[in-house]
Amino acid sequence: MPPKKPIIDDNGINFGQLNKVIQGQLDADAKYDRENDAKFRAVRQKVATYEEFENIVLGAHLKPLKENITELELKKTGWLSGRAAERTRASDHIDHTDDGNGAQPRNAKPPQTCQEFTREWRRLRKIGDATEQYKFLLLTGASIATLFKTGVDNVLGEFVTAMGNGFDAGDATRVVRVLRALAATPRFSLAKEFLDEKEQAAITELLTKLVEAVESGGDETPPQEKPKGTESAESFDPVSNGDVAEAAPDRATLEDVSELRGLYAM
């Protein structure tokens, strides 16, 4: 690599070299500002994983297309056909139920990774479908503890609010399982500290509803199927497959709700 030319030499100031140094510093400052803004934006968006946070920062330099891509003439290729076929095969695993409000198809199977969960949760949040958010949390069940291995610091409030808004007495046991699984995630105590007054009130209201559902006998959750080789259904959770610290209840009791009150106490 040739040595850098000095800015000042025997002939005076090398303005060309000076311009390069100044431009390089301006570019470095601009990069710093972009990435710093991206970090704050990622925090405001409450990203679920560090990978998502990192991707937002790394993509800080990207700009939206100015050209209307819908007017571009794209040549059809075998690759596009293959992708279309792949989407067709994938659609076999999606529930295309439409509730009449324009909701998009939703996954019929529990998410297998945190990324899958986050992608679907953001979609439901975007369309503002609170009922589907509630159903999606119940679909995920106790396995939510294994999906969020780094904690639920930024989303606990959203989860408890969604369950409170969509609560059905017939789902009491399933709600208890989700709440217990959330409490088993790392740094749960810290996550509670991030809850605002409305979210804290949502938890209190949800626990009250659970008590009423258990006392009234309105819980319609079917008993868990006992797998071969086990002596009792209480030791098996078909959703979490034993990954959660404590087994999910076969049917919610007042003792379960009392335990949750202690776990979610502020």
Side-chain angles (χ1 to χ4, degrees):
M1 172 182 286
K4 293 183 178 179
K5 296 181 180 180
I7 297 177
I8 300 178
D9 54 24
D10 295 337
N11 297 322
I13 299 176
N14 187 333
F15 288 99
Q17 186 64 19
L18 178 61
N19 182 65
K20 289 182 180 179
V21 172
I22 295 175
Q23 188 60 48
Q25 188 59 52
L26 290 174
D27 291 341
D29 290 344
K31 179 182 179 182
Y32 174 84
D33 291 338
R34 286 196 306 268
E35 294 183 347
N36 196 50
D37 291 342
K39 292 176 182 178
F40 282 106
R41 186 167 63 253
V43 172
R44 288 195 300 270
Q45 292 178 4
K46 297 182 178 181
V47 295
T49 64
Y50 177 77
E51 287 75 16
E52 292 183 54
F53 178 88
E54 184 179 34
N55 288 336
I56 290 177
V57 175
L58 292 177
H61 65 287
L62 299 177
K63 298 180 180 179
L65 291 174
K66 296 181 179 179
E67 188 174 9
N68 186 355
I69 62 174
T70 60
E71 297 178 358
L72 296 178
E73 295 183 2
L74 301 178
K75 182 180 179 181
K76 294 184 178 180
T77 65
W79 178 83
L80 289 175
S81 300
R83 295 293 293 176
E86 182 180 340
R87 288 194 296 270
T88 300
R89 290 193 297 271
S91 67
D92 294 337
H93 303 285
I94 297 179
D95 178 9
H96 291 275
T97 302
D98 189 340
D99 60 5
N101 296 323
Q104 298 296 318
R106 62 179 183 269
N107 293 331
K109 295 182 179 180
Q112 301 301 310
T113 65
C114 183
Q115 287 73 20
E116 288 183 10
F117 180 96
T118 303
R119 183 167 54 251
E120 179 66 8
W121 184 260
R122 285 180 173 176
R123 185 186 70 81
L124 295 175
R125 181 202 297 162
K126 184 176 181 180
I127 64 177
D129 197 329
T131 300
E132 289 303 318
Q133 284 182 313
Y134 170 70
K135 291 180 180 179
F136 183 58
L137 285 169
L138 297 189
L139 175 68
T140 305
S143 64
I144 200 169
T146 58
L147 297 181
F148 287 85
K149 295 180 181 179
T150 59
V152 290
D153 307 24
N154 297 325
V155 290
L156 177 61
E158 292 186 36
F159 291 170
V160 295
T161 299
M163 285 190 288
N165 292 337
F167 180 77
D168 186 300
D171 300 322
T173 297
R174 299 174 68 187
V175 171
V176 168
R177 291 172 186 166
V178 174
L179 290 176
R180 181 175 289 179
L182 289 172
T185 56
R187 304 193 308 276
F188 175 72
S189 296
L190 178 62
K192 292 191 297 182
E193 297 297 327
F194 285 99
L195 299 177
D196 58 30
E197 292 184 0
K198 290 184 178 180
E199 293 165 343
Q200 293 176 13
I203 292 178
T204 301
E205 183 179 358
L206 176 59
L207 293 174
T208 300
K209 291 178 180 179
L210 280 171
V211 171
E212 295 173 352
V214 173
E215 289 180 337
S216 66
D219 187 2
E220 300 175 356
T221 305
Q224 299 183 77
E225 182 180 354
K226 182 173 66 174
K228 297 180 180 179
T230 59
E231 296 181 357
S232 63
E234 286 79 0
S235 64
F236 174 71
D237 179 4
V239 179
S240 64
N241 293 323
D243 288 328
V244 178
E246 297 184 22
D250 185 56
R251 184 62 63 89
T253 65
L254 290 177
E255 287 75 13
D256 294 321
V257 182
S258 177
E259 178 190 2
L260 289 175
R261 286 188 184 277
L263 292 172
Y264 284 82
M266 301 300 166

